[in-house]
Amino acid sequence: MQDEKKLSIIAFSGDFDKLTAVFTLATGAAAVGWEVNIFFTFWGLDAIKQQQGRAFVGSNWLTRMFGFMMGGLKVAPTSRFNFCGAGPRLFRSLMRKNNVATLEELADAAKALGVNLYACEMAMHVLGLKREDFIPEVKDVLGVASFLKFADGGQTLFI
């Protein structure tokens, strides 16, 4: 029987609440000694971008527009009740009031706990992103088959 526990998360969404779930699960598992791998794909890639805030990042005008519309953790919209951007501010306020780590704090904790962060190669190509567009903590750029090797033998979640 395998003693080592492993959690692999596929982060597809760039929504505040879904990224909060990704990083809450990741930090919780890492804090109790589990190996944790997060595979960021499509809108989830926004969570690991180097440049936070709205910026024209991408290789052509269309991908630059996508880059501008997405803005990283600080401006991630909520999946419901976004209220033109007020939703995430309300959530952050409630999180602080209830002594709960914010999305940014959870992401920092994941880095500190050694959670393995991976970027999806195919989604990067589609969105016109390069390796240097991401934070240095991104361990590697992978295809699906390579990520599945890391995930093998553990729990896998799609968020």
Side-chain angles (χ1 to χ4, degrees):
M1 184 159 158
Q2 186 178 353
D3 289 338
E4 187 177 326
K5 301 282 187 172
K6 184 189 315 188
L7 175 64
S8 297
I9 303 170
I10 301 163
F12 175 79
S13 175
D15 291 337
F16 175 90
D17 42 326
K18 293 175 184 172
L19 287 171
T20 299
V22 166
F23 286 111
T24 298
L25 291 163
T27 56
V32 295
W34 286 32
E35 174 188 333
V36 181
N37 304 298
I38 307 176
F39 184 66
F40 294 90
T41 188
F42 284 99
W43 307 126
L45 287 169
D46 203 45
I48 54 172
K49 280 187 186 169
Q50 180 83 274
Q51 187 166 347
Q52 292 293 302
R54 304 215 183 274
F56 292 102
V57 177
S59 59
N60 61 51
W61 72 271
L62 184 57
T63 58
R64 285 187 185 108
M65 289 308 295
F66 280 135
F68 181 77
M69 289 186 289
M70 303 299 289
L73 295 178
K74 292 182 177 26
V75 295
T78 52
S79 61
R80 297 184 67 195
F81 309 118
N82 191 47
F83 304 120
C84 298
R89 287 191 293 276
L90 293 170
F91 272 110
R92 282 184 181 89
S93 173
L94 288 169
M95 293 165 106
R96 284 187 199 99
K97 182 179 178 182
N98 289 287
N99 203 26
V100 173
T102 64
L103 174 56
E104 295 81 5
E105 292 166 342
L106 289 166
D108 288 342
K111 295 172 203 171
L113 288 165
V115 170
N116 299 310
L117 309 177
Y118 299 104
C120 175
E121 182 178 33
M122 185 265 309
M124 286 173 56
H125 289 303
V126 170
L127 296 172
L129 299 169
K130 301 179 295 291
R131 173 63 181 95
E132 52 270 14
D133 292 327
F134 298 105
I135 58 175
E137 292 85 1
V138 171
K139 195 169 187 175
D140 205 354
V141 173
L142 304 174
V144 172
S146 295
F147 176 73
L148 291 174
K149 288 179 187 174
F150 286 114
D152 189 35
Q155 301 288 323
T156 303
L157 303 174
F158 182 88
I159 300 175

